[in-house]
Amino acid sequence: MRNIEKIELELTRLNAARSLVDIPRQLEVLPAGGTVLLRDRTDAGSSYYNRIKGFGPEDLAVLDTLLSHYPEAAPCFDMTPHHMTEEVGRALSEKGFIPAEQLAFLYVNLQDRVEQAPGFQIEMVTEETAEQYIEWIRKSAGGLRVTREMIVRSREYFHREDFLNYMLSIDGKPASMGSLFLSGNEGYLANDYTFPEYRGRGCQSALIKHRLTAAAERGAATVYTDVEFGSASHANMERAGFRMAFLNTYWIAK
C-alpha cells in the first residue's frame, strides 16, 4: 500500500503543474508528524489538491493543529483502511466531516497479464500533437475555457518520458483518452475518459491494455490505478487483470 500512496503523491504533483487554470497552482506538500498535508495556495476549495493523507489514531491530539493549516476552506481527509478506526471516524464526524466518496486502489503485476489492444487507432501524444490533446481535454470538460497562456504553460507536460498520454480515435474523431505515469519500475494509469457517444464500445479497455503494454516495454513491473468503487471503470480494470489493493474514503466537511 505504501508504494501506491507514494506514486499517487508524485502524480498529484505533476497534475498540479500541468493544470489548465488561469493562475498556476501552488501545491505545497508538507510533512506534519505522521501525516502529509497537501495544500493548494491558489485554490483552497479543491478537495483533490487540499488533502490530509496518513491521518490516524496517533494524530488525534493534533487534529485542530492540522486543520489550522487550512484557514480558508476545510481540507479533505484521504483515509486508507490501515489508518481508519472507530475513534478516528468519531473525531472526524465531531468536526463536521462525512465520508463522501470511496476510491478503489488497484494493482496489476505485468508478468501476470499483458495484452495488445486490437482494433482501435491509438496514438501517443507528442510535442506536435500536445495542443490537439489539450483540445480533447477541453472538450471532455464540457467546453472548459482554455487560454493560449494556459496551453503554452502546460503543453510540455503531456509528452514527457514519465507521463505518456494516449488518444483513441474512431473514424478520425476523438473517442477516448488516458494517461500512463511512470516512476522507477512502477506505473500508474490515470485520467481515463471516453466521450459519451463512444461509451460501451470497448474504448477504455483497449486503452488500458495499450498502456499496460507500453508500461511493460518501458520496464515497469507493477502498475496501479484508482477508480470510483463499483463503477464501469472499476469493472474494466478488473477485466484487464487489476486486483484490489485497498479501498479508501474521502471525508469532506458538510
Side-chain angles (χ1 to χ4, degrees), residues 29-222:
V29 180
L30 309 171
T35 67
V36 175
L37 310 183
L38 279 68
R39 185 174 63 184
D40 184 354
R41 299 186 68 87
T42 65
D43 184 4
S46 168
S47 60
Y48 178 69
Y49 291 113
N50 294 277
R51 283 184 281 160
I52 295 180
K53 295 174 64 69
F55 182 79
E58 65 278 7
D59 305 300
L60 289 170
V62 296
L63 177 54
D64 286 334
T65 300
L66 296 177
L67 290 173
S68 71
H69 288 273
Y70 300 87
E72 296 182 47
C76 165
F77 282 82
D78 186 349
M79 300 299 303
T80 52
H82 59 292
H83 289 124
M84 194 70 233
T85 66
E86 181 179 348
E87 190 178 18
V88 167
R90 186 180 301 114
L92 293 179
S93 296
E94 289 174 354
K95 293 293 183 182
F97 290 83
I98 58 172
E101 180 182 2
Q102 289 186 311
L103 289 181
F105 282 78
L106 312 174
Y107 72 96
V108 62
N109 295 317
L110 293 186
Q111 62 269 29
D112 294 342
R113 182 170 182 174
V114 176
E115 300 178 12
Q116 289 288 347
F120 288 96
Q121 177 188 343
I122 299 175
E123 177 185 357
M124 187 173 73
V125 175
T126 65
E127 182 177 1
E128 289 72 28
T129 59
E131 293 192 20
Q132 178 186 358
Y133 189 70
I134 291 173
E135 173 58 22
W136 284 34
I137 294 173
R138 189 197 66 78
K139 181 180 177 183
S140 73
L144 174 73
R145 189 184 73 87
V146 177
T147 66
R148 188 64 195 168
E149 180 184 354
M150 293 179 198
I151 294 172
V152 171
R153 186 175 67 235
S154 302
R155 63 189 174 194
E156 66 180 285
Y157 289 98
F158 294 100
H159 55 89
R160 291 164 41 133
E161 291 186 2
D162 63 344
F163 188 57
L164 311 177
N165 292 274
Y166 295 90
M167 302 182 290
L168 186 154
S169 301
I170 294 179
D171 298 328
K173 297 180 180 179
S176 189
M177 56 189 178
S179 307
L180 167 63
F181 177 62
L182 297 167
S183 179
N185 66 344
E186 297 178 320
Y188 205 105
L189 301 192
N191 306 313
D192 288 52
Y193 183 82
T194 299
F195 291 94
E197 59 268 36
Y198 294 105
R199 290 173 185 169
R201 297 173 62 171
C203 297
Q204 186 188 34
S205 293
L207 271 177
I208 292 169
K209 293 175 182 178
H210 190 88
R211 285 175 290 168
L212 291 182
T213 298
E217 290 172 348
R218 288 161 175 79
T222 305

